[in-house]
Amino acid sequence: MVKIKQLFIAIIAVAFSTFSVAQTTDKDFKTSNAHFKMSAHIKSGDYIDKRVIIKVKSQYRSVCSANTIEDALFKQLYTNVGGSGLTKKFPHSFSPANSVNRSGQYLADLSLIYEFNYSASVSVEKVINKFAALQLFEYVEPHYIPHVCYSPYTPNDPGLLFEYSIINIRADSAWGINTTTARGDTNVVIGITDTGTEPTHSDLKNQIKHNYADIPDGSDNDGDGYIDNFGGWDLGENDNDPTWTMSQHGVHTSGIAAASVDNAIGMAGIGFNCKFLPVKIADAIGALTFAYEGITYAADHGCAIINCSWGGAGGGQFGQDVITYATINKNALVVAAAGNNYSDELFYPASYKYVISVANTRSNDSLSVSSNYNYTVDVCAPGESIYSTYPTDSYSFQTGTSMASPCVAGAAAIVKSFYPSYTALQIGERLKMTTDNIYPIMSGPVYANKLGTGRINLYKALTQPLSPSVVMTQHNIVDNNDNNFVVADTLRIRGNYTNYLAPTTNLIATLSTTSPYINILHATTTLGAIATLAATDNNTDPFQTKILPGAPKNQAVTFKITYSDAATSYTASEFFTVIINIDYINIAINDIATTVNGNGRIGYNMDNQVGGLGFNYKNQGTILYDAGLMIGVSTSQVSDVVRGVSGGLSDADFKAVVSAHTITPATFSDFDVDGIFNDSSVSPPIPVVVHHKAFAWSSVGNRKFVIVQYVISNSGTAPLTNLYAGICADWDINAATYGSNRASFDAADKMGYAYYTGANGTYAGIRLLTNTAPVVHYAIDNLPGGGGGVDLHAGGFDSNEKYTTLSTNRTDAGVAGNGNDVLDVVSSGPFNIAVGDSIKVAFALIAGDSLADLKTSAVNAQIKYDGLYTTTVLDNAINNSDILAVYPNPTNGESMININIRENATVELKIFNLLGAEIKTIASEKMQPGMHSLLYSTSNLSNGLYYYQLIVNNKKYIHKLIVNK
């Protein structure tokens, strides 16, 4: 049942000593801090407005108590946004004693999860990203509100004969195997997390699991934190009465899974003798505000199976943490509805790892016209016109994946009763491996492999001979280069594979894809014999694929792994997705870590700080909210990729023609980036073509800036006049107090800058490096009214305002009090560009500890840029016929470097990886003419491509080195 759920892999190339670009993790849905963006599928009402869920990193446990987090930056930001009601989500939960269970699966820790409200007039996305930037939390997320998943249908005749689902899944045949375990164990409890039930219903009242350790007497007798939770709990209204109030949905799902059987009335629940625990997750108005808390409650109170006939498009790490806690910590199987949008889209919690996701079928086993379908679906079950309990003490027909899910939950309870030693994951895998194939009925490419293994068959689940069931539970994908996954890269795919059921004898795994952009170089690996609940890997024999020319940018490639074991007649498959040709490059070789996008963005790939490093100074968190290039020729015509007039979303006027890519080995700096974009997608375009470059150095004095250069060509049929080009940056320096920023201008250094007005505040600046046109600086007060400048709060940032900031000067912003939220625009112009001609503008993006520090780096950046194109690669001091000889190459142990020097020279020889990070200085000395031989051991280097950099009298030469052990 475990699977890689739509695994979107966008591995980035960074060089932080504390971060690996090729980590192995089983947290497939880990949400990266400060990179949150609400999914396009999420609508108003899918989350609670102005409410935030946070999880504190374990190393900061000491500052946490029940209602406080004693961190100064957090408290300041909490105050700034009008925070209130900070409380632990699970105050009765404690940190696990160990991080993993006996099978090596990570346990979830719910003890450091908090929730709070805020009152500031700020979008939830920005609040989330501000708190995430504190680096204090594992994740920061909205409080998603899922919705029930059924389509109402009014019944006309009650009766057991209407329960076609029992025949379809062969539940009646399963019950006939014997009269004990096949008909369910009363100690196996199904948690029904829903809108509430009807405890007095004739077909339900005897099936509720009662908590005899806490009989109703006004006291918490069992000390679990809930008073008199004898017959379930109402989390939405915080009382011990789980009776439905606003929606009858939960009454219907309760009966499908667990209605009484053989009581001569009504209908039969699939779970037969198994009990159910009603957990009401809806509040007083019917909103499912305590959905994931309900899963935790059910897991904590002994439920072996937990049904979730609800969900939504929003899925963050909080939900995955809860699922992991229920499944791995508490050994409870979570079953969830796949959703009713009749589309191929993710739906949560169904799409989380460890969950059994259920699609909805009709009586003839065809897919219901309301059911979702996708690669995360595990099984199908009857869900159309399902007869079940309904208020008041009656019955009804209902349709939806909400009805299919409790059918599977009831079946899972029977499997648990029949195989009492099974773990939660084994129950799910057993149901998956014993389904009936319905793909001949639902033929066609739309549904291929997107209905799970088929429709469940409970009889086969109890009687069919055991087979293996293998799943890739962890993954590791690298290109042995910069892990940007671009055209011509070879990807090496390794994984951990767990077998949940019968042992394999000689398991073979084969990789395939239908993508025309991938060539499979090595498709098969032998996993061999794997015992029950054992695991293996293919680390020494990874799959290998090559990315082909023509692959679009940000292309999703779906891979299929097929397992086969001839000796056991076992075959199965699973899917995962990799994103290739990501159009942004992370630069992190000095004290600045930032991102250059192929379309002119800086810091992030998308809005709301999604994808990228921001502008991270000394690894202390980003000090930039967003930034990008603007080019304008009039108040009505500006092409850019900064925020526009639509809800704070950025304009997307530039499109990459040649994706941003690193130049390896670097030619002009220690890390060179190159790419081309234009504005041809805009109507009308200016039109321009922009050849952009970025440069960064790791040497002393040059570690606090990154240079970006733009060669702007007139691609139209008429001259361009009054053109201005510049960078707009929303500096948020000191994330907790971004409202205490100030912006100003240093004319001597042609630099606009911003800083935090508090003590020891960080500074950030943009310096114009070219001198072909004057510098222009415009400081923006990002507050209602604009503080006398352009007002971004009145209709957004339109072309008129953008051209104003590009072409006119405004020296300061944030001058009142302790400052406010500010933006800064540094530009150059006006330019007149003839048809086919071009101009060049360049800027240094700088950070520092003070204004003096910033000015020093500004001067150094100018020196570097002025000398950028004067450094030649070859030098007369080196014998051009034998400049630098390296052998053996490739090498598997030692590398011999021969340098032939023609005259006395200062020689420096270093080795770098492809991220531009220095590995070692091999030589730094004065050398006399002649041949010099140096020996370097490569035993400490992993396989891959490196390069030697030789500098002789300040002239540079590069030589590649391949390590292949």
Side-chain angles (χ1 to χ4, degrees):
M1 185 277 302
V2 185
K3 55 192 169 291
I4 303 299
K5 298 256 193 182
Q6 287 298 90
L7 181 60
F8 293 99
I9 303 172
I11 300 182
I12 56 177
V14 296
F16 294 137
S17 60
T18 57
F19 186 87
S20 169
V21 296
Q23 290 182 347
T24 299
T25 175
D26 72 346
K27 293 190 174 184
D28 297 336
F29 289 88
K30 185 68 176 177
T31 302
S32 177
N33 280 347
H35 297 286
F36 174 81
K37 181 183 179 182
M38 201 80 75
S39 166
H41 296 296
I42 300 173
K43 307 175 294 297
S44 176
D46 288 341
Y47 59 92
I48 300 177
D49 191 32
K50 296 190 177 183
R51 187 176 297 181
V52 177
I53 293 175
I54 56 178
K55 183 176 183 181
V56 180
K57 293 179 180 178
S58 60
Q59 61 262 42
Y60 301 116
R61 185 179 299 277
S62 62
V63 303
C64 297
S65 61
N67 302 103
T68 60
I69 299 173
E70 293 298 331
D71 178 85
L73 293 180
F74 167 78
K75 293 173 76 172
Q76 180 65 57
L77 182 55
Y78 184 74
T79 300
N80 287 352
V81 301
S84 63
L86 179 71
T87 55
K88 279 193 173 184
K89 292 292 293 179
F90 306 108
H92 309 296
S93 180
F94 299 93
S95 177
N98 301 307
S99 61
V100 297
N101 64 8
R102 288 185 298 177
S103 298
Q105 293 161 314
Y106 287 96
L107 299 168
D109 182 2
L110 305 185
S111 65
L112 293 177
I113 300 176
Y114 292 79
E115 187 170 29
F116 66 86
N117 300 313
Y118 71 90
S119 59
S121 299
V122 183
S123 70
V124 68
E125 289 95 337
K126 188 156 188 175
V127 169
I128 284 172
N129 286 306
K130 292 302 179 187
F131 278 95
L134 296 179
Q135 305 296 309
L136 181 66
F137 307 109
E138 284 192 19
Y139 53 77
V140 186
E141 299 177 0
H143 185 131
Y144 292 112
I145 306 175
H147 308 286
V148 296
C149 305
Y150 78 110
S151 304
Y153 179 78
T154 303
N156 52 22
D157 281 315
L160 184 61
L161 292 177
F162 291 111
E163 290 189 84
Y164 73 87
S165 58
I166 289 177
I167 305 301
N168 277 34
I169 72 168
R170 298 192 66 188
D172 54 344
S173 298
W175 297 337
I177 294 174
N178 57 48
T179 59
T180 54
T181 56
R183 296 188 183 178
D185 186 337
T186 57
N187 292 311
V188 175
V189 182
I190 306 166
I192 302 295
T193 63
D194 217 301
T195 62
T197 192
E198 186 173 281
T200 60
H201 196 290
S202 299
D203 240 355
L204 297 176
K205 61 184 180 182
N206 295 324
Q207 294 299 102
I208 295 175
K209 181 66 174 179
H210 290 115
N211 176 18
Y212 292 100
D214 196 0
I215 58 175
D217 61 1
S219 300
D220 181 12
N221 298 297
D222 58 1
D224 66 350
Y226 303 92
I227 298 174
D228 296 345
N229 55 334
F230 178 68
W233 192 258
D234 181 351
L235 287 165
E237 299 181 67
N238 196 31
D239 59 47
N240 68 342
D241 182 8
T243 301
W244 73 277
T245 51
M246 298 298 293
S247 170
Q248 308 94 330
H249 184 268
V251 183
H252 200 266
T253 59
S254 298
I256 296 169
S260 295
V261 183
D262 282 340
N263 62 349
I265 60 173
M267 45 91 60
I270 303 298
F272 209 103
N273 289 322
C274 297
K275 300 291 186 179
F276 80 99
L277 182 67
V279 182
K280 181 171 174 285
I281 59 175
D283 62 17
I285 62 173
L288 307 187
T289 51
F290 289 84
Y292 288 97
E293 295 87 337
I295 295 174
T296 302
Y297 181 92
D300 285 340
H301 289 82
C303 295
I305 313 297
I306 301 173
N307 184 69
C308 305
S309 289
W310 46 265
Q317 185 58 30
F318 168 67
Q320 182 63 66
D321 265 1
V322 169
I323 297 299
T324 301
Y325 174 79
T327 310
I328 305 303
N329 297 41
K330 307 300 288 188
N331 196 30
L333 177 67
V334 179
V335 181
N340 296 333
N341 300 321
Y342 195 55
S343 64
D344 181 355
E345 66 180 62
L346 298 180
F347 196 76
Y348 297 95
S351 292
Y352 281 127
K353 185 178 181 180
Y354 300 133
V355 177
I356 283 285
S357 174
V358 186
N360 165 23
T361 53
R362 300 166 170 171
S363 58
N364 65 353
D365 280 340
S366 63
L367 188 71
S368 171
V369 294
S370 65
S371 179
N372 284 357
Y373 50 91
N374 54 58
Y375 287 125
T376 75
V377 169
D378 293 294
V379 296
C380 296
E384 182 154 317
S385 297
I386 300 300
Y387 182 75
S388 184
T389 49
Y390 211 68
T392 300
D393 205 19
S394 63
Y395 301 86
S396 172
F397 290 94
Q398 303 291 339
T399 293
T401 53
S402 278
M403 287 64 247
S405 183
C407 178
V408 174
I414 296 293
V415 173
K416 176 64 176 177
S417 301
F418 199 77
Y419 298 104
S421 64
Y422 268 12
T423 67
L425 298 179
Q426 287 180 298
I427 296 168
E429 291 302 311
R430 182 62 176 164
L431 285 170
K432 283 174 55 181
M433 295 309 301
T434 54
T435 57
D436 289 337
N437 181 17
I438 63 172
Y439 282 105
I441 299 173
M442 297 304 300
S443 60
V446 173
Y447 306 108
N449 301 303
K450 296 178 181 179
L451 302 178
T453 58
R455 194 251 306 122
I456 64 166
N457 184 321
L458 183 54
Y459 179 74
K460 287 168 63 175
L462 303 190
T463 61
Q464 186 168 287
L466 294 179
S467 73
S469 187
V470 177
V471 176
M472 185 171 72
T473 53
Q474 293 182 343
H475 70 275
N476 180 289
I477 304 179
V478 297
D479 63 5
N480 283 2
N481 189 343
D482 55 8
N483 289 322
N484 282 325
F485 299 172
V486 297
V487 169
D489 275 354
T490 297
L491 307 186
R492 293 158 179 83
I493 303 172
R494 298 174 173 87
N496 286 1
Y497 306 86
T498 300
N499 180 23
Y500 288 95
L501 297 176
T504 65
T505 300
N506 186 32
L507 185 68
I508 305 297
T510 303
L511 185 75
S512 61
T513 182
T514 59
S515 172
Y517 310 116
I518 295 292
N519 180 26
I520 306 288
L521 302 178
H522 181 56
T524 301
T525 187
T526 300
L527 301 177
I530 314 175
T532 302
L533 292 178
T536 189
D537 60 61
N538 68 324
N539 290 345
T540 60
D541 185 29
F543 300 118
Q544 294 187 39
T545 71
K546 189 170 185 177
I547 303 174
L548 299 176
K553 290 178 287 294
N554 302 311
Q555 175 69 28
V557 174
T558 299
F559 288 100
K560 178 181 180 180
I561 298 181
T562 301
Y563 303 103
S564 61
D565 186 14
T568 60
S569 300
Y570 167 67
T571 60
S573 60
E574 64 176 311
F575 298 82
F576 62 95
T577 301
V578 179
I579 304 297
I580 61 174
N581 270 3
I582 295 175
D583 191 28
Y584 60 92
I585 301 296
N586 295 305
I587 305 173
I589 69 166
N590 57 29
D591 293 337
I592 301 295
T594 192
T595 297
V596 174
N597 192 290
N599 65 1
R601 281 180 178 265
I602 296 170
Y604 294 103
N605 184 43
M606 299 172 64
D607 286 333
N608 299 306
Q609 300 181 305
V610 174
L613 306 177
F615 199 77
N616 192 320
Y617 177 54
K618 291 185 176 178
N619 201 21
Q620 296 177 355
T622 185
I623 57 176
L624 176 74
Y625 188 73
D626 56 29
L629 178 69
M630 300 195 302
I631 301 174
V633 292
S634 70
T635 55
S636 62
Q637 196 162 18
V638 177
S639 293
D640 65 272
V641 284
V642 303
R643 67 190 61 185
V645 297
S646 177
L649 298 177
S650 295
D651 291 335
D653 300 337
F654 296 132
K655 302 295 183 183
V657 177
V658 177
S659 297
H661 57 282
T662 54
I663 303 298
T664 306
T667 303
F668 300 105
S669 69
D670 294 334
F671 195 96
D672 294 358
V673 178
D674 197 283
I676 300 174
F677 56 84
N678 64 28
D679 67 343
S680 61
S681 62
V682 182
S683 182
I686 289 177
V688 290
V689 174
V690 182
H691 186 177
H692 66 119
K693 294 177 180 288
F695 311 100
W697 291 264
S698 57
S699 54
V700 175
N702 304 303
R703 296 185 55 82
K704 297 184 178 183
F705 60 84
V706 172
I707 290 175
V708 289
Q709 174 188 281
Y710 306 98
V711 176
I712 303 169
S713 301
N714 180 353
S715 58
T717 58
L720 297 176
T721 59
N722 294 315
L723 182 144
Y724 290 83
I727 294 174
C728 175
D730 182 355
W731 296 112
D732 282 354
I733 303 174
N734 193 335
T737 52
Y738 64 92
S740 298
N741 284 187
R742 188 169 292 155
S744 193
F745 181 62
D746 174 21
D749 289 305
K750 298 190 296 183
M751 177 174 64
Y753 64 94
Y755 60 99
Y756 168 55
T757 59
N760 302 314
T762 298
Y763 282 68
I766 304 172
R767 172 174 181 150
L768 176 66
L769 297 172
T770 46
N771 56 13
T772 50
V775 63
V776 182
H777 170 258
Y778 195 102
I780 302 173
D781 287 290
N782 190 19
L783 45 75
V790 297
D791 183 5
L792 305 192
H793 287 250
F797 199 9
D798 61 28
S799 292
N800 181 29
E801 292 168 323
K802 288 176 180 177
Y803 192 74
T804 297
T805 63
L806 284 170
S807 59
T808 60
N809 286 290
R810 186 171 189 255
T811 305
D812 300 296
V815 295
N818 293 323
N820 48 254
D821 191 10
V822 301
L823 285 80
D824 213 28
V825 178
V826 178
S827 61
S828 184
F831 294 99
N832 297 323
I833 311 177
V835 175
D837 204 355
S838 64
I839 56 98
K840 182 187 297 183
V841 291
F843 305 89
L845 310 174
I846 315 169
D849 300 316
S850 64
L851 181 56
D853 190 25
L854 202 69
K855 288 169 67 68
T856 297
S857 289
V859 171
N860 291 345
Q862 189 71 62
I863 293 171
K864 275 295 185 183
Y865 184 73
D866 290 344
L868 198 62
Y869 299 104
T870 62
T871 301
T872 57
V873 175
L874 302 180
D875 187 344
N876 290 333
I878 308 175
N879 185 336
N880 289 342
S881 65
D882 191 9
I883 302 166
L884 178 64
V886 178
Y887 63 91
N889 191 11
T891 181
N892 60 7
E894 291 182 329
S895 177
M896 177 68 73
I897 309 102
N898 288 334
I899 308 170
N900 194 2
I901 304 297
R902 305 180 79 185
E903 59 186 38
N904 291 332
T906 299
V907 176
E908 181 180 82
L909 180 65
K910 296 183 178 183
I911 187 169
F912 292 81
N913 65 20
L914 288 184
L915 298 180
E918 180 181 335
I919 302 297
K920 185 177 179 62
T921 297
I922 300 171
S924 181
E925 58 187 283
K926 291 184 178 180
M927 289 186 180
Q928 296 180 348
M931 181 68 71
H932 299 263
S933 296
L934 301 171
L935 187 65
Y936 174 59
S937 174
T938 61
S939 60
N940 64 326
L941 301 181
S942 58
N943 287 349
L945 185 62
Y946 299 83
Y947 66 87
Y948 287 111
Q949 175 181 279
L950 174 66
I951 299 177
V952 180
N953 287 340
N954 296 319
K955 305 299 181 180
K956 180 164 53 176
Y957 183 73
I958 302 294
H959 198 294
K960 293 181 180 179
L961 171 68
I962 299 174
V963 176
N964 186 11
K965 300 177 184 178

